[in-house]
């Protein structure tokens, strides 16, 4: 599975959109992009995933570039409770969770 | 649903002691996983199970054992605890080998 690169930390003002970038320049055509987050002292929480089309759910939006070499997770109206470490992971479509590579993620601080 | 429940939340062990970390899920998920997370590091897979009676090693299985006698429970056994096993342990479950993971809130273990 391809590796990902994320900035170690970011800040965002409460109520504004938080845009978290992820670089996955070696991604293959059959690899999905997954996003999880980990709020302090809790287990990771699944947010969203996508292959090539943009995706949106009740938590966030995922924008994947046309060449699929990078993506952005968007939290449209960040709240203090969104302060967490955000992990971007790629996974082969026919691979499995056993092969996931968990990096260090981006530590997002939402400020009042 | 309670989701994935881990007990205990915290534990301190002396070197050479043994203990069992409990994990239970009430979502009828076949797939279950044990991860460890060391400070400043990503998650590492210890063991996983694809169903009752079936377990297999992950990336870092040495010093641990697991069993899966029921769909609900997936305990992790530490024999002869060592300081290198000081970590936060997370249990996760999923409906399939490629489905999003549901995590428990972890067990923080210190071996001194």
């Amino acid at each position: 599975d391809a590796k990902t690169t994320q900035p170690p930390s970011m800040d965002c003002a409460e109520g504004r959109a938080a845009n978290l970038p992820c670089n996955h320049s070696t991604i293959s055509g059959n690899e999905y992009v997954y996003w999880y987050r980990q709020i302090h002292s809790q287990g990771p929480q699944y947010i969203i995933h996508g292959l090539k089309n943009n995706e949106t759910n009740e938590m966030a939006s995922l924008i994947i570039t046309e060449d699929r070499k990078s993506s952005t997770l968007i939290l449209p109206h960040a709240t203090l409770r969104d302060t967490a470490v955000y992990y971007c992971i790629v996974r082969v479509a026919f691979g499995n969770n056993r092969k996931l590579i968990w990096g260090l993620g981006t530590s997002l601080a939402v400020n009042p | 649903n309670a989701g994935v429940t881990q007990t205990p939340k915290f534990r301190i062990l002396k070197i050479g002691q043994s203990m069992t970390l409990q994990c239970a899920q009430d979502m009828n998920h076949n797939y279950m996983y044990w991860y460890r997370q060391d400070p400043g590091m990503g998650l590492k897979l210890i063991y996983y199970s694809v169903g009752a009676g079936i377990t297999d090693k992950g990336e870092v299985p040495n010093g641990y054992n697991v069993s899966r006698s029921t769909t609900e429970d997936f305990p992790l056994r530490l024999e002869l605890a060592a300081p290198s096993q000081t970590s936060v342990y997370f249990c996760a479950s999923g409906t399939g080998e490629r489905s999003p993971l549901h995590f428990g809130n972890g067990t923080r273990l210190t071996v001194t």
Side-chain angles (χ1 to χ4, degrees), chain B residues 1-6 23-27 29 72 93 102-104:
Chain B
N1 287 346
V4 179
T5 302
Q6 292 185 239
C23 174
Q25 52 92 9
D26 61 359
M27 298 173 283
H29 288 170
E72 294 77 20
S93 71
H102 299 255
F103 283 85

Side-chain angles (χ1 to χ4, degrees), chain B residues 7-33:
Chain B
T7 56
K9 286 185 171 54
F10 303 92
R11 183 73 186 267
I12 298 174
L13 283 181
K14 294 189 186 301
I15 294 172
Q17 288 184 320
S18 59
M19 76 163 293
T20 299
L21 282 68
Q22 302 292 344
C23 174
Q25 52 92 9
D26 61 359
M27 298 173 283
N28 202 34
H29 288 170
N30 283 324
Y31 289 76
M32 296 188 74
Y33 309 81

Side-chain angles (χ1 to χ4, degrees), chain A residues 72-89:
Chain A
T72 301
L73 179 75
I74 301 173
L75 308 178
H77 304 287
T79 71
L80 298 179
R81 286 175 295 190
D82 292 321
T83 293
V85 177
Y86 288 78
Y87 298 97
C88 170
I89 306 168

